[in-house]
Amino acid sequence: MHQRIVQQTLLVLYFLLSHNGVEGQKKLSKLEDAELEKQLKSLNKPAVKTVKMKPTLSRINKDSTFSSATNRSSTIWSKDGGCPFGTIPVKRITKDDLIRLRNMLPPEDVTFVDEYDVSNNNSEPNGRYISSQGYKVVAIAQIPYNPNSKFAGAGMDTALYNPQVKGQQHNGSRLKIHKGLDILQVGWRVDPTLYGDTKTRFFIHFQAGKIHCFNTLCPGFVQVNYDLPLDNSFMDTISQRGGRPWGARMYIDRDLAGNWWVLVSQEFTRVGFWPQSLFTDLKSFATNVDWGGVVYSPPGVPEPPMGSSYFPIENSSYDAYCVGVIIFNKKGKTIEVDKTITHIDNPNMYKVEFIQLSYGAKDMYFVLYGGPGESTHV
Ligand SMILES: *[C@@H]1O[C@H](CO)[C@@H](O)[C@H](O)[C@H]1NC(C)=O
Ligand SMILES: *[C@@H]1O[C@H](CO)[C@@H](O)[C@H](O)[C@H]1NC(C)=O
Ligand SMILES: *[C@@H]1O[C@H](CO)[C@@H](O)[C@H](O)[C@H]1NC(C)=O
Ligand SMILES: *[C@@H]1O[C@H](CO)[C@@H](O)[C@H](O)[C@H]1NC(C)=O
């Protein structure tokens, strides 16, 4: 009985704190509330079951150099929670989702990557990205910047981890392509602000000039395959450091009409696309591509661990990584990446390496990333 009261008190406290902590915001005004309701209505329109547009995407399974080369465990992309066959597990967007969304930062500073060009290739940062809102730290490998590059997309197989996060921290791995002010990302993250839980989940994100958005929390992304929820949980296939690594494959791929597709798994399964009309700079090809890890911590919280929370030891059973990093050239041809420059916002606390390691029967390039941050447990 006593215990129960304690439990209930804790529960109430939890909700109070999580309201102030995670959501961290004042109560909604009537006006804001009405605005949210309006957004919800437009976002939760009945799903369009058939997409009239014919995809002009030519990518097929045998394009992949990597589909059969490896013997690693690959996550099973499937319906989250086992919906009966034939039903559509569209996640209905709730008011809580939208409230959390309002508290999200843009995923990374827009102005920050363009400036690493070939003349500054020693991976020295211009200074980590610190804002009044806390820090974001990235440890990435990127294609040397050349304003004349024309990338029609990129891909990776990323190791899945389930890092501990607290409050507004987030933690993940992603592939990012961009040109000018337009950015596209796919990856996984643990992000209570975005998801309301601490599961490792798939995410996509676009930024087009000043608009930016995760998953389908605002209009923009056209989903064509509802078997693959955009917040897919990977909790059944999480890697343990020193154990068997689990990975997930994901790609961004531009079709001939200029739409940007999200594809997953070695079968290049289509999830959906961002229409070309959303973009200004990404109406044409991308100039920048990078892969790696990212962590965020709110103000006053020490810089968090990243990746497996250890510096890479050049063993993919121990290190967080992206492997099978590829780009699609302007003709859509798959090119295995064998040269990158690396960038770490804070080289004392994190490391990133781009090296060849054995992967199944062959050697492949890995982006290994991670580090203890300011934590003292390592
Ligand atoms: C890039 O860095 C490598 C190794 O530090 C160096 O050998 C090369 O000359 C650099 N390239 C340019 C264009 O600065
Ligand atoms: C990121 O993940 C590592 C483990 O993978 C964890 O130790 C660290 O605390 C996480 N960082 C944040 C900001 O949650
Ligand atoms: C990497 O770690 C695994 C698991 O501990 C071990 O079996 C393997 O030999 C290591 N690989 C290398 C190249 O050290
Ligand atoms: C793939 O895994 C199986 C079972 O773990 C093993 O017997 C086989 O040799 C592996 N193949 C390669 C190419 O590594």
Side-chain angles (χ1 to χ4, degrees):
M1 185 62 196
H2 182 67
Q3 205 181 0
R4 209 206 219 145
I5 291 172
V6 172
Q7 270 175 5
Q8 280 173 354
T9 313
L10 283 176
L11 206 65
V12 168
L13 259 176
Y14 171 80
F15 281 119
L16 284 174
L17 288 174
S18 62
H19 186 78
N20 291 328
V22 175
E23 295 176 355
Q25 298 289 310
K26 55 190 183 337
K27 278 222 172 83
L28 297 177
S29 72
K30 268 221 175 88
L31 201 68
E32 286 171 316
D33 199 55
E35 183 53 36
L36 282 184
E37 290 291 349
K38 212 169 92 193
Q39 277 185 41
L40 275 179
K41 272 218 185 91
S42 84
L43 289 170
N44 286 328
K45 278 196 301 255
V48 185
K49 293 224 180 86
T50 52
V51 172
K52 298 218 181 74
M53 199 194 107
K54 210 171 174 190
T56 42
L57 197 63
S58 58
R59 191 127 344 256
I60 44 166
N61 193 8
K62 62 176 189 288
D63 267 12
S64 173
T65 334
F66 309 110
S67 47
S68 56
T70 68
N71 204 7
R72 293 287 172 121
S73 323
S74 211
T75 197
I76 299 117
W77 290 84
S78 65
K79 295 167 267 192
D80 202 11
C83 289
F85 182 76
T87 63
I88 302 179
V90 186
K91 181 181 186 293
R92 283 197 74 78
I93 293 159
T94 64
K95 202 185 275 184
D96 280 348
D97 289 335
L98 293 184
I99 292 171
R100 286 198 310 272
L101 187 67
R102 287 148 54 109
N103 298 328
M104 305 256 343
L105 302 172
E108 274 155 48
D109 190 9
V110 191
T111 56
F112 137 104
V113 197
D114 248 353
E115 321 313 326
Y116 303 103
D117 53 24
V118 248
S119 60
N120 176 20
N121 86 356
N122 64 352
S123 81
E124 273 309 309
N126 293 344
R128 67 200 140 136
Y129 170 50
I130 303 177
S131 77
S132 55
Q133 295 168 296
Y135 9 63
K136 258 176 195 150
V137 181
V138 299
I140 54 172
Q142 62 193 317
I143 305 282
Y145 177 65
N146 175 342
N148 300 319
S149 297
K150 286 189 166 59
F151 301 120
M156 67 171 178
D157 183 348
T158 171
L160 300 167
Y161 281 88
N162 183 238
Q164 299 289 313
V165 302
K166 290 185 210 104
Q168 277 181 297
Q169 291 182 327
H170 68 72
N171 203 331
S173 164
R174 87 287 182 285
L175 141 69
K176 170 170 160 183
I177 70 166
H178 91 263
K179 180 178 185 186
L181 296 180
D182 293 346
I183 304 178
L184 300 175
Q185 298 190 78
V186 297
W188 60 261
R189 57 204 273 144
V190 177
D191 190 341
T193 314
L194 178 59
Y195 294 119
D197 66 21
T198 56
K199 292 181 175 173
T200 300
R201 290 180 179 277
F202 185 46
F203 84 94
I204 65 168
H205 183 271
F206 82 93
Q207 181 153 326
K210 292 201 168 100
I211 324 171
H212 76 96
C213 187
F214 283 93
N215 301 343
T216 45
L217 289 170
C218 50
F221 189 76
V222 181
Q223 199 167 352
V224 301
N225 182 344
Y226 291 100
D227 282 347
L228 299 169
L230 284 167
D231 57 354
N232 188 63
S233 156
F234 295 117
M235 292 312 285
D236 292 340
T237 50
I238 293 295
S239 314
Q240 301 302 332
R241 190 168 184 270
R244 167 175 163 182
W246 282 93
R249 285 165 208 252
M250 38 192 90
Y251 308 86
I252 297 176
D253 189 10
R254 185 178 190 268
D255 70 16
L256 299 174
N259 305 303
W260 291 95
W261 286 79
V262 172
L263 313 176
V264 298
S265 86
Q266 40 190 325
E267 282 77 45
F268 295 111
T269 307
R270 292 165 189 167
V271 181
F273 64 92
W274 290 284
Q276 188 197 37
S277 56
L278 281 176
F279 303 104
T280 321
D281 293 320
L282 280 180
K283 272 201 192 325
S284 63
F285 296 94
T287 47
N288 304 59
V289 180
D290 66 72
W291 300 263
V294 54
V295 289
Y296 164 76
S297 222
V301 177
E303 290 194 52
M306 179 194 286
S308 68
S309 88
Y310 292 79
F311 290 123
I313 60 165
E314 304 187 354
N315 182 326
S316 60
S317 297
Y318 286 84
D319 303 332
Y321 65 80
C322 307
V323 67
V325 293
I326 54 165
I327 50 165
F328 301 131
N329 73 7
K330 67 177 185 205
K331 295 193 170 132
K333 189 166 175 275
T334 303
I335 296 172
E336 205 168 327
V337 174
D338 59 7
K339 183 170 182 294
T340 62
I341 52 177
T342 55
H343 163 77
I344 313 140
D345 287 340
N346 189 334
N348 299 325
M349 295 177 195
Y350 311 102
K351 269 202 181 120
V352 60
E353 287 182 56
F354 185 69
I355 60 162
Q356 256 189 326
L357 296 174
S358 76
Y359 184 76
K362 67 182 254 188
D363 283 348
M364 285 177 68
Y365 281 95
F366 281 76
V367 179
L368 307 176
Y369 67 89
E374 275 173 348
S375 82
T376 50
H377 75 279
V378 179

